[in-house]
Amino acid sequence: TGTDTDNAASASMDETTHAASEMKSLSETSTLSQIQSESNSNYIDVGDGFRLRPLTPPDAIFVDSRWPYRSNKSLKMIERQIIADNGNATRTGAACCLGIEKIFQDDRDDGNGLIDRESEKSGSLVGCIFRHRNGSLGILHVDDEYRRMGFGAHLLREATKSVLRQNDPSMPYVYIVDGNEQSEALFTKMSWVKADPLAKKGTGKRRAKRKWLYAGPIEST
């Protein structure tokens, strides 16, 4: 009957939709696993039990929560950009969206009364830097309790090197709000300069975002 045919067609469409959904889920899981695996091979030990690594999609929550300009759409934007940066890193070997995390050691006994220190577990992020879709670096952040440990310099140095390694036709650049003296001091120390040094600084509500450019080799710190 017509009803039986409609029901059969509906069931077939449901099965097709379900299968497509499962394939998409498996694809996303596989992609995330690949990203995390590649990320694990790009750790940089920054001392004191911390390491720098490329950000992965789940890290978008941390980045978004630290961004003063976040909105109801920014989390998805950040997540998409991290995925795009991971793709660029796969091709070029240089990731621009980076984080610093505390290392949690695996304290399980190895059976001989010794603690197995070879197995290290990922810890919570304490800092990050991000590359926006327009190519600018930004959202450079280190949680308050982990400042004055050189993490901001580590993040900026590695992100800058990554932009250059990707052979991007545009030089690394950022936007810093007038009056952010802490950021200005760090970027100046790391060989960045204002794109327009003669521009008048704004104050109060007139504070503007000023473009800064990377101007040479980064000095060791």
Side-chain angles (χ1 to χ4, degrees), residues 32 35-36 53-86 97-99 124-125 127-132 139 141:
L32 177 57
I35 288 171
Q36 291 174 330
R53 63 167 175 80
L55 295 176
T56 58
D59 297 323
I61 295 174
F62 175 90
V63 178
D64 184 62
S65 68
R66 269 62 174 182
W67 193 27
Y69 305 103
R70 63 183 177 274
S71 68
N72 59 352
K73 297 181 180 180
S74 58
L75 178 60
K76 283 295 183 182
M77 178 276 292
I78 290 170
E79 186 179 52
R80 286 195 299 269
Q81 193 57 27
I82 289 174
I83 292 172
D85 186 64
N86 291 155
C97 295
L98 304 169
S124 300
L125 287 175
C128 62
I129 192 169
F130 180 78
R131 194 180 191 194
H132 293 279
I139 320 183
H141 171 87

Side-chain angles (χ1 to χ4, degrees), residues 169-180:
S170 63
M171 290 293 287
Y173 69 99
V174 300
Y175 290 96
I176 301 177
V177 176
D178 285 339
N180 189 342

